[in-house]
Amino acid sequence: MKNEKTELLKGTLDLLILKTISYEPMNGWGISKRIEQISGKKFCVRQGSLYPCLHRLEAQGWISSKWGASEKNRKAKFYKLTQHGQKQLDKEMEDWRHFTGTVELILQMC
Amino acid sequence: MFERSRLIIVLKALFQSSRTEDELDEEMRFHLKMETEANVKKGMDLKAAHQAALRSFGGIEQRKEDCREAWGVRVITNLLHEFCLSLRRLFRRPVQNGLMFATFAVSVMLSTLSWSLFHTMFLRQPEFDPKGEYLVLNYVGGVIGASRSSNGEMEAYKEGQKVFSDFAEVGFYNSPTIQLPGGAERVLAANLSARALQIVGAKPLMGRLFRPEEDKRGSAPVALLSQHMWENSYDRDPSIVGKIMDIGSDQVTIVGVMPADFRFPNDQDLWLSYGFYDWGPDAMVKLKPGVTREQAESNLKVILDGLGPDSPANRRGLTPALIPFRDYYLPSEIRVSALVLFALSLIFVVVSCANAANLMLIDFLGRRAEVATSLALGIPRGASIRNVCFQVTMIAMGAVLLSIALLPVAGPFLYDHIDVNLEPYWLNYHFEWHYVGMAFALAGVSAAVTVSAPMVYLLWVDPDKVIREHAYTSRGTGRTLWRRLLLIGQITLLTVLGVSAGLLVRSSYNVGENTWGYPADRVFVGKISAREIEFTVEEPLGSVQRLAIYRRVLDQVTQRLETEAVALAHFSPGYSSGPNITYALGQEEIGEAFNSQVTEGFFDTLGVPFVEGNTLPRENPDDGPVYGVINESLAQKIWPSQDPLQRVLYIRFSGAPASAPSIPIVVCGVVRDFQVSGPVARNNDFILTPLMPRSFVRPGQFIFVRDRIGVPNVRSIRDAVHRADSRLSFYFPSTLGRVIDIMLSSMHMTANLTTVFAAAAVLLCSIGVYSLTVTQVLQSSREFGIRMALGTEPQRLWVHFTCGHLLTTLIGVLIGLFGASQVARVFSPLLFGVDPYSVSTYAMVAFTILLVATLACIPSFFRLRRINPAKCLRSL
């Protein structure tokens, strides 16, 4: 199995961020590392594109932010899922499952 | 929720931008530190680890920009930056932008005021009837002045009608004489039914309103006092309710006092119950749903026909008519003035827009190089257009704010100068929010039109070409034709306005005090009435006794130390409406004149000198000839180059039956001509005869008093009248000047406002000429520069092209003079003593406009001198 990092599919970053912070509030660096870690370093989150995405999600009201202390007692901004964000996450997960299921079906049938 | 979170972020980014930026910076630094530490753990040295972290992050500033983009405030901050830039540019050209501001402010202010007047005259409904549903039941046709119902007819309409959902009887005008502790006084009153008071939303300050049973004829009369009357005539008597007031021989119970803000239909002193009214009532009615006015009028006509040919209205040939309450109460000539002014103000807005657009264009042509360079450097045209929009919008908004700020001053000032006799209560300045809306709308339209010219320029301009040709020394574009046409249009409008204003002002002056032939402002005029005095059976008409009472009045007033002259007359100058007699030398009538019975001191009181002969005799014997005083022009007309004294002429009252004999008059005096009749009457020939029992001394007489110094004091004259006989009523005290002002209010208002518009038009016109000449200098700078390099003096160049503009102005003036002559022909009935084609007025206006145009060309001379001939030559 090749150990190559894969670019995220367009539009999936929102879903991954929402899912990642659904367990606990996390800072931006932590989110990128968590996604890499869970994906077995297969997914590479472009660090530059992570922050605009976080700010956009915050502006949409799906996540909220709060300054706090990191593990190493450094000042960091932590993001957590809001109630609306949870609904949005559920919807996006449903959409994703439907999408991947349909793609899988096509791949099997053709 | 989403919108709120976005709003919070936007507000934070806008108003706590440094804090937001710091937080963004800190967040990214944290990320880089963490990444660097991770890289160090992988074995990199610190510097390399940091570099790697930076590389993987991909440019901090770019990421920050992406984040700002995500906040959605980029557009707003960009707009804010552009706004600040426009603001700075605004103050860099104070003269030009100041002129544009003045243009906008004048047109918006005048238009908003005109709109307010138009709205009041045509659209505003009385507060009690916001939908304008109430109509006044009245008559049309028949004899003028006889259009009033009889009580019987009104009752028949009320009982028989099937078309009204509301019917309230009213007597809009009544002028009873009441007995007060200081003597009899005549006051302005109205008779209202209980329902009418309910309709207008009356609420008493104390006491109660009228009851329905008090509407019935024969019921005990009751009255409501105005707060003014309660305070001034009853000294704020707290137990006024229930007291009795004497009106003629009737005793009226005061049932309440109305607050000062209750004014219906005018500034009444007193309201009486409808049952106590027997002089041509009206009614306020409301149509049933689905019934048209025509159907209702037909229904009333059927009822009237049913009353038979002997009913008063049928005898006079009158037809019932339903008139909207507002129209019933507003004179039509005032409404015409309002309409004309509103139309004028809209034309003004158009002209000011064109001027402002031209001024903006000058700005762009003046800095073509700068504009072209910025476009060539990649600044989007959209940004430049937005910049222009911001500038114009700020100027327009400034003008609107100034107009709105001045409205509370200018509005009441305008309305105070509208003098209407028995002014309806709602004809006053009343701020309404749509005035502000109108000001913003007009400014918005003006701004939109103004930005169109620079926008077109920005869209069409080719920066490369401008830079190649060097903006400073560009060739003349020759595209001034449309601007010249615009200028011609403005000058035409200004000329029409100027001539109209000139004619109206002259006309106004002609009917002013100086040409009346007497000092109207110094002559007190009032009315006294012996109507309430009953006379003996031997002399039922009371002429002898009345004359004796009036003589006592004259004596009492003469005894005042200040009195210089005093007189009585049946008609008053200012109130009268023209000739009322025909005169003849033999059998054949040869002309019309005005007649009034006056006492001998009449001419002295008015200060009119005698040309020949003397005044009327104090006692004109009943068996002797009737003496008369005539005016100089009439004497010349009847007996040219002859002595008119002691000659006889015959007069007959207009409308007298043919069988009535003519009355011989012996001329005892001739006085200088003066305006004896109405304010705008053309025929002022008069034959004044003495007040004598033989020709019936009427119960009501005008009293005229002139003091040695100043205007007579009303109270002292009233006291003198009441000393002569306390039963006399004394009312409507004023001065002849004031009477004339009211009669001429419409004419004065039109003249004054037209003058204001003409003055504003001069301002707009001068801006128009200025912008045109400066534009030409800017456009033809290269041509002028080369000419100067070849030795032509700037003065000669300026004179040359100024002559061209003056020629344009002259064309506009000539067209305008023609237009003005046509307009003057239309409003010639409004002119008094002025030829609508008065050469001097036309010449003066033309001269003024040409002078203003010449002065407006002067700034272009300085622009011309700033052209550098050497640069122009280098550009060849």
Side-chain angles (χ1 to χ4, degrees):
Chain A
M1 190 174 169
K2 289 180 181 175
N3 193 16
E4 285 178 355
K5 288 190 176 180
T6 313
E7 289 283 337
L8 280 174
L9 279 175
K10 197 175 179 183
T12 54
L13 183 58
D14 289 7
L15 175 62
L16 294 182
I17 290 173
L18 292 175
K19 185 66 187 170
T20 308
I21 60 172
S22 65
Y23 300 108
E24 59 176 334
M26 298 182 83
N27 58 53
W29 188 78
I31 293 168
S32 69
K33 292 297 148 195
R34 175 64 64 86
I35 292 171
E36 274 185 36
Q37 187 188 4
I38 294 176
S39 68
K41 299 194 175 176
K42 282 180 185 168
F43 283 165
C44 161
V45 179
R46 281 192 180 177
Q47 293 174 8
S49 59
L50 176 71
Y51 286 94
C53 189
L54 282 169
H55 283 259
R56 184 168 45 77
L57 292 175
E58 191 182 8
Q60 282 170 324
W62 294 338
I63 62 176
S64 62
S65 66
K66 199 176 175 183
W67 286 93
S70 69
E71 291 162 359
K72 293 185 177 176
N73 213 19
R74 283 201 176 109
K75 194 180 171 191
K77 196 174 186 183
F78 287 84
Y79 295 91
K80 73 169 185 179
L81 203 61
T82 63
Q83 219 170 1
H84 287 276
Q86 184 62 54
K87 282 180 193 163
Q88 182 65 20
L89 174 63
D90 295 344
K91 183 178 172 296
E92 290 207 8
M93 282 170 64
E94 179 65 34
D95 289 350
W96 176 255
R97 285 187 187 117
H98 182 74
F99 173 76
T100 51
T102 309
V103 172
E104 186 61 33
L105 185 68
I106 292 166
L107 291 176
Q108 285 176 4
M109 297 294 285
C110 294
Chain B
M1 169 71 188
F2 298 158
E3 297 309 319
R4 205 182 69 181
S5 58
R6 181 175 289 275
L7 186 68
I8 290 168
I9 286 174
V10 167
L11 290 177
K12 249 179 92 176
L14 285 177
F15 298 106
Q16 294 184 334
S17 57
S18 58
R19 190 178 153 193
T20 314
E21 288 291 327
D22 287 349
E23 285 182 359
L24 186 61
D25 192 55
E26 188 154 0
E27 186 178 16
M28 291 187 178
R29 270 194 288 118
F30 169 79
H31 185 102
L32 286 172
K33 271 182 194 165
M34 296 303 288
E35 189 67 20
T36 305
E37 280 179 15
N39 288 340
V40 169
K41 275 185 186 169
K42 284 178 191 169
M44 293 182 189
D45 65 58
L46 188 62
K47 194 176 174 187
H50 183 66
Q51 291 293 335
L54 279 174
R55 268 199 308 279
S56 69
F57 199 79
I60 296 174
E61 281 312 311
Q62 182 57 44
R63 296 303 145 226
K64 281 184 182 175
E65 270 301 297
D66 292 342
C67 288
R68 289 182 200 118
E69 197 87 53
W71 296 337
V73 291
R74 169 69 64 79
V75 177
I76 300 169
T77 49
N78 281 355
L79 284 175
L80 270 176
H81 283 305
E82 286 176 13
F83 180 78
C84 294
L85 189 71
S86 309
L87 201 63
R88 279 207 299 275
R89 191 159 281 163
L90 206 61
F91 290 103
R92 265 177 26 204
R93 288 177 171 74
V95 174
Q96 191 167 307
N97 291 325
L99 284 175
M100 203 188 299
F101 177 77
T103 305
F104 278 159
V106 167
S107 68
V108 170
M109 180 78 206
L110 287 177
S111 305
T112 309
L113 276 178
S114 303
W115 165 248
S116 140
L117 204 58
F118 179 85
H119 177 262
T120 303
M121 302 285 179
F122 290 91
L123 304 173
R124 192 201 288 175
Q125 299 290 351
E127 285 86 348
F128 73 85
D129 183 23
K131 291 181 185 169
E133 292 172 312
Y134 279 93
L135 306 166
V136 174
L137 197 167
N138 204 258
Y139 285 119
V140 291
V143 184
I144 293 169
S147 55
R148 285 183 168 276
S149 313
S150 69
N151 290 315
E153 284 161 8
M154 193 54 75
E155 278 165 24
Y157 292 141
K158 189 175 183 183
E159 296 303 319
Q161 64 85 17
K162 292 172 185 158
V163 287
F164 304 128
S165 60
D166 203 351
F167 193 106
E169 301 96 327
V170 286
F172 283 121
Y173 174 81
N174 193 359
S175 184
T177 303
I178 59 173
Q179 289 294 334
L180 293 169
E185 197 165 313
R186 200 162 169 190
V187 295
L188 181 63
N191 289 67
L192 302 180
S193 58
R195 177 62 195 146
L197 279 171
Q198 270 181 0
I199 289 171
V200 299
K203 287 190 181 114
L205 187 68
M206 63 165 74
R208 63 167 175 87
L209 298 177
F210 299 148
R211 292 174 180 146
E213 57 268 26
E214 288 159 351
D215 295 346
K216 294 194 177 77
R217 223 145 289 283
S219 60
V222 289
L224 287 163
L225 297 184
S226 67
Q227 189 174 343
H228 177 262
M229 191 169 178
W230 174 57
E231 287 172 354
N232 291 285
S233 301
Y234 290 91
D235 210 15
R236 296 178 68 91
D237 181 357
S239 56
I240 189 74
V241 176
K243 288 203 169 163
I244 303 294
M245 164 196 275
D246 287 329
I247 298 184
S249 55
D250 293 291
Q251 295 205 312
V252 180
T253 310
I254 298 168
V255 294
V257 176
M258 298 304 290
D261 60 0
F262 180 72
R263 303 170 67 212
F264 182 84
N266 315 98
D267 267 332
Q268 256 71 9
D269 301 305
L270 185 69
W271 292 269
L272 297 164
S273 53
Y274 178 71
F276 186 52
Y277 189 65
D278 54 4
W279 187 66
D282 293 304
M284 286 166 64
V285 296
K286 188 172 167 183
L287 297 175
K288 278 183 181 169
V291 177
T292 64
R293 208 195 296 182
E294 290 72 24
Q295 287 168 338
E297 284 172 346
S298 306
N299 179 249
L300 295 171
K301 182 81 175 82
V302 170
I303 296 169
L304 180 63
D305 290 344
L307 296 175
D310 288 338
S311 78
N314 281 331
R315 273 207 312 273
R316 292 173 186 149
L318 299 170
T319 310
L322 295 168
I323 303 160
F325 183 78
R326 189 188 54 221
D327 297 350
Y328 179 78
Y329 245 91
L330 270 179
S332 58
E333 65 269 19
I334 292 279
R335 280 186 287 162
V336 170
S337 298
L339 192 63
V340 169
L341 288 171
F342 187 56
L344 269 179
S345 67
L346 291 182
I347 296 173
F348 249 63
V349 171
V350 175
V351 174
S352 68
C353 288
N355 274 339
N358 224 357
L359 285 166
M360 281 305 289
L361 211 54
I362 289 176
D363 183 28
F364 271 78
L365 291 172
R367 52 188 185 90
R368 268 175 301 187
E370 180 192 332
V371 172
T373 310
S374 62
L375 290 177
L377 286 173
I379 291 179
R381 286 176 198 254
S384 299
I385 289 172
R386 277 198 299 278
N387 189 277
V388 174
C389 291
F390 278 136
Q391 275 190 58
V392 176
T393 307
M394 277 187 277
I395 292 171
M397 289 306 112
V400 169
L401 292 178
L402 180 69
S403 303
I404 293 169
L406 288 177
L407 261 184
V409 181
F413 180 80
L414 173 71
Y415 281 74
D416 282 350
H417 284 76
I418 305 172
D419 281 323
V420 179
N421 203 15
L422 288 178
E423 179 179 303
Y425 74 92
W426 72 91
L427 188 61
N428 55 6
Y429 177 73
H430 178 253
F431 175 79
E432 298 200 27
W433 280 105
H434 59 83
Y435 297 168
V436 176
M438 176 55 86
F440 272 101
L442 288 169
V445 170
S446 304
V449 174
T450 303
V451 295
S452 62
M455 267 172 69
V456 169
Y457 176 81
L458 278 168
L459 290 172
W460 282 358
V461 70
D462 180 355
D464 295 343
K465 195 178 164 194
V466 173
I467 292 166
R468 248 195 335 269
E469 290 182 351
H470 195 307
Y472 183 76
T473 54
S474 73
R475 293 180 178 92
T477 60
R479 275 178 270 165
T480 55
L481 180 64
W482 68 271
R483 277 195 287 274
R484 280 183 190 275
L485 290 175
L486 179 72
L487 182 68
I488 289 174
Q490 285 184 39
I491 299 282
T492 303
L493 177 71
L494 169 61
T495 311
V496 172
L497 273 174
V499 171
S500 306
L503 291 174
L504 286 168
V505 168
R506 283 186 63 187
S507 168
S508 218
Y509 174 80
N510 283 349
V511 291
E513 192 178 310
N514 293 342
T515 50
W516 273 73
Y518 52 83
D521 277 336
R522 282 197 55 206
V523 179
F524 167 89
V525 62
K527 207 155 184 197
I528 53 175
S529 173
R531 202 178 294 276
E532 312 303 334
I533 303 173
E534 288 179 14
F535 296 101
T536 57
V537 179
E538 291 77 32
E539 210 234 339
L541 291 175
S543 283
V544 174
Q545 292 176 57
R546 246 185 234 125
L547 187 57
I549 293 170
Y550 288 149
R551 283 287 167 200
R552 285 206 299 276
V553 169
L554 292 179
D555 291 342
Q556 284 294 333
V557 177
T558 308
Q559 281 173 21
R560 288 170 68 244
L561 290 174
E562 308 90 340
T563 304
E564 184 167 5
V566 57
L568 295 174
H570 177 55
F571 290 117
S572 165
Y575 280 120
S576 313
S577 55
N580 55 355
I581 55 166
T582 55
Y583 59 85
L585 282 180
Q587 291 297 315
E588 199 180 333
E589 288 171 353
I590 54 174
E592 288 185 318
F594 171 77
N595 170 258
S596 177
Q597 294 159 30
V598 301
T599 56
E600 65 285 354
F602 183 74
F603 307 100
D604 262 1
T605 311
L606 264 58
V608 182
F610 274 83
V611 179
E612 284 182 86
N614 288 309
T615 188
L616 299 163
R618 183 182 161 94
E619 305 282 342
N620 197 117
D622 272 0
D623 51 354
V626 177
Y627 289 98
V629 171
I630 64 174
N631 62 308
E632 198 177 356
S633 297
L634 182 64
Q636 284 293 323
K637 211 181 292 176
I638 304 175
W639 300 289
S641 309
Q642 295 176 48
D643 184 3
L645 294 181
Q646 301 306 315
R647 289 183 183 272
V648 178
L649 54 86
Y650 297 87
I651 65 167
R652 179 194 290 277
F653 285 93
S654 307
S659 57
S662 298
I663 305 164
I665 305 288
V666 177
V667 177
C668 66
V670 178
V671 290
R672 194 190 65 195
D673 286 349
F674 71 96
Q675 195 74 23
V676 71
S677 198
V680 289
R682 262 76 173 164
N683 182 352
N684 277 292
D685 290 336
F686 56 84
I687 301 165
L688 302 184
T689 50
L691 202 61
M692 55 186 183
R694 196 198 311 181
S695 51
F696 178 52
V697 177
R698 299 190 186 213
Q701 296 287 336
F702 285 98
I703 180 168
F704 303 90
V705 185
R706 184 154 61 92
D707 277 0
R708 290 183 175 83
I709 302 168
V711 183
N713 177 278
V714 177
R715 185 178 284 273
S716 75
I717 294 174
R718 178 188 281 132
D719 291 346
V721 169
H722 288 149
R723 273 199 303 278
D725 194 317
S726 65
R727 296 169 301 172
L728 284 172
S729 57
F730 174 84
Y731 53 100
F732 300 154
S734 186
T735 61
L736 273 177
R738 176 74 187 140
V739 168
I740 294 164
D741 277 350
I742 290 174
M743 299 299 281
L744 297 175
S745 57
S746 173
M747 179 189 274
H748 283 155
M749 185 184 93
T750 312
N752 292 341
L753 292 179
T754 313
T755 307
V756 170
F757 271 86
V762 169
L763 173 73
L764 293 189
C765 171
S766 56
I767 292 172
V769 175
Y770 158 79
S771 58
L772 186 71
T773 52
V774 172
T775 308
Q776 189 174 357
V777 172
L778 291 169
Q779 285 195 330
S780 309
S781 53
R782 185 178 197 181
E783 178 196 332
F784 289 147
I786 293 169
R787 281 206 213 171
M788 284 194 277
L790 292 174
T792 313
E793 290 290 316
Q795 291 90 329
R796 280 190 61 192
L797 266 177
W798 180 76
V799 169
H800 179 72
F801 94 91
T802 298
C803 285
H805 287 292
L806 290 182
L807 186 67
T808 309
T809 308
L810 189 64
I811 293 169
V813 167
L814 291 175
I815 298 172
L817 289 178
F818 174 74
S821 67
Q822 301 304 306
V823 172
R825 201 173 58 181
V826 174
F827 69 76
S828 59
L830 290 175
L831 299 177
F832 179 77
V834 184
D835 179 7
Y837 307 108
S838 159
V839 176
S840 57
T841 309
Y842 283 57
M844 181 60 80
V845 170
F847 173 76
T848 308
I849 294 169
L850 288 171
L851 182 69
V852 167
T854 311
L855 291 175
C857 285
I858 290 174
S860 62
F861 175 69
F862 297 103
R863 289 260 183 176
L864 195 66
R865 287 188 60 159
R866 286 210 293 264
I867 294 175
N868 187 337
K871 277 191 179 178
C872 294
L873 278 180
R874 275 201 299 275
S875 73
L876 284 174

